């Protein structure tokens, strides 16, 4: 069954395709998403042990170095996992077979470019925000598809950012609408979840379960957002190729 559309579709259809692809590719992304969840739990534990209010003086003294190492490890593993998830989403969408190890190797290979692109992305957005808020907002969305270009189109760091900007150009508001809807839904669900967990902690006295459930939510929500991003990436490419063809015919 073909999942991706052959022509540009509406916002509602993009979300419909995203949900179907998200469900169909569950077995492909769950392993890497679980890695992200475990990393988050481990990092939170580290903060409590070395940096948190209950940490003793010796722990605080060595906490700086260990914190730096932990941040590096989490960043590397996260980049690898994001790349692997996007790769497996693409294979699921095109009904291609792959394996966990194949995706892992791809993720490791793409990590250097993703790290550099991520640094340039944050730099561009930060500078745009400091100079004037609006450019920062525009760039935060226009450059967002760099991960798809690196993983799927073999672009390097700087080239992926340029390609992402060109792809979103002329479709910024539409892209913002497509990505805002799932973000609002996820934030609404997250807010409700936090309220329920607050009730559980307060009246049932169960503290550790709250952090676990929040991480389970993250394990499920991160691949969903990457799926929406992937489907929108495909839709923008269809629109761009159609516009280029129309321009050539008109010329």
């Amino acid at each position: 069954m073909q999942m991706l559309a052959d022509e540009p579709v509406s916002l509602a259809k993009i979300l419909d395709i995203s949900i179907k692809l998200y469900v169909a590719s569950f077995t492909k992304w769950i392993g890497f998403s679980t890695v992200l969840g475990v990393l988050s739990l481990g990092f939170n534990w580290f903060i409590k042990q070395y940096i948190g209010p209950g940490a003793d003086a010796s722990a605080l003294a060595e906490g700086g170095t260990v914190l730096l190492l932990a941040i590096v490890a989490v960043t590397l593993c996260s980049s690898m996992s994001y790349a692997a998830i996007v790769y497996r989403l693409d294979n699921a969408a095109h009904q291609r077979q792959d394996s966990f190890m194949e995706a892992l190797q791809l993720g490791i290979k793409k990590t250097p470019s993703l790290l550099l692109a991520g640094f340039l992305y944050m730099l561009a957005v930060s500078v745009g925000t400091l100079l004037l808020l609006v450019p920062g907002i525009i760039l935060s969305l226009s450059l967002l598809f760099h991960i798809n270009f690196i993983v799927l189109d073999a672009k390097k760091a700087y080239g992926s950012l340029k390609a992402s900007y060109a792809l979103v150009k002329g479709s910024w508001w539409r892209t913002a609408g497509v990505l805002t809807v799932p973000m609002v839904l996820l934030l609404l669900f997250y807010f409700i979840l936090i309220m329920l967990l607050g009730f559980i902690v307060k009246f049932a006295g169960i503290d550790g379960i709250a952090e676990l459930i929040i991480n389970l939510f993250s394990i499920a929500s991160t691949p969903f957002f990457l799926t929406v991003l992937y489907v929108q990436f495909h839709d923008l490419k269809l629109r761009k190729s159609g516009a280029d063809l129309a321009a050539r015919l008109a010329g």
Side-chain angles (χ1 to χ4, degrees), residues 55-126:
D56 56 36
S58 60
L60 288 173
E62 64 177 310
T65 302
V66 182
L67 176 61
L68 179 60
L69 293 174
I71 291 175
V72 171
V74 169
T75 302
L76 288 172
C77 292
S78 296
S79 297
M80 177 272 297
S81 297
Y82 292 147
I85 290 173
V86 172
Y87 173 73
R88 302 206 81 181
L89 284 173
D90 185 58
N91 285 334
H94 291 93
Q95 299 181 334
R96 295 191 295 259
Q97 296 296 319
D98 62 12
S99 66
F100 182 91
M101 290 305 300
E102 179 184 338
L104 177 62
Q105 291 172 356
L106 182 282
I108 294 172
K109 179 181 177 181
K110 299 294 184 180
T111 293
S113 293
L114 285 174
L115 290 176
L116 179 55
F119 171 76
L120 295 175
Y121 173 86
M122 294 301 298
L123 182 63
V125 172
S126 298

Side-chain angles (χ1 to χ4, degrees), residues 1-233:
M1 181 184 69
Q2 181 176 342
M3 290 196 176
L4 297 176
D6 295 324
E7 57 185 13
V9 295
S10 65
L11 185 153
K13 187 62 177 177
I14 286 176
L15 294 179
D16 178 62
I17 294 172
S18 299
I19 293 171
K20 291 178 180 177
L21 178 57
Y22 173 78
V23 173
S25 61
F26 174 82
T27 57
K28 290 182 175 290
W29 57 253
I30 187 60
F32 291 102
S33 189
T34 301
V35 170
L36 292 173
V38 172
L39 283 172
S40 179
L41 279 173
F43 191 75
N44 291 338
W45 174 86
F46 164 80
I47 293 296
K48 292 178 181 178
Q49 290 291 116
Y50 290 92
I51 309 296
D56 56 36
S58 60
L60 288 173
E62 64 177 310
T65 302
V66 182
L67 176 61
L68 179 60
L69 293 174
I71 291 175
V72 171
V74 169
T75 302
L76 288 172
C77 292
S78 296
S79 297
M80 177 272 297
S81 297
Y82 292 147
I85 290 173
V86 172
Y87 173 73
R88 302 206 81 181
L89 284 173
D90 185 58
N91 285 334
H94 291 93
Q95 299 181 334
R96 295 191 295 259
Q97 296 296 319
D98 62 12
S99 66
F100 182 91
M101 290 305 300
E102 179 184 338
L104 177 62
Q105 291 172 356
L106 182 282
I108 294 172
K109 179 181 177 181
K110 299 294 184 180
T111 293
S113 293
L114 285 174
L115 290 176
L116 179 55
F119 171 76
L120 295 175
Y121 173 86
M122 294 301 298
L123 182 63
V125 172
S126 298
V127 171
T129 302
L130 289 174
L131 293 177
L132 194 62
L133 180 62
V134 174
I137 296 174
I138 293 174
L139 289 174
S140 67
L141 181 60
S142 297
L143 306 179
L144 192 59
F145 294 92
H146 65 270
I147 182 173
N148 300 86
F149 277 108
I150 289 174
V151 175
L152 304 177
D153 288 4
K155 296 283 187 182
K156 297 301 181 181
Y158 182 67
S160 70
L161 294 169
K162 287 180 61 178
S164 180
Y165 185 86
L167 185 66
V168 177
K169 187 177 181 180
S171 300
W172 193 93
W173 285 106
R174 175 182 175 79
T175 303
V178 169
L179 298 182
T180 297
V181 172
M183 283 297 295
V184 170
L185 293 175
L186 288 173
L187 287 173
L188 179 61
F189 184 81
Y190 183 76
F191 178 73
I192 295 173
L193 182 62
I194 289 296
M195 291 186 63
L196 291 175
L197 291 176
F199 176 83
I200 293 174
V201 171
K202 182 177 180 179
F203 293 98
I206 305 175
D207 194 4
I209 192 68
E211 185 178 349
L212 177 61
I213 294 177
I214 290 174
N215 272 274
L216 289 174
F217 172 77
S218 176
I219 288 173
S221 60
T222 299
F224 179 68
F225 181 75
L226 289 174
T227 304
V228 176
L229 198 69
Y230 169 79
V231 176
Q232 175 63 4
F233 173 75

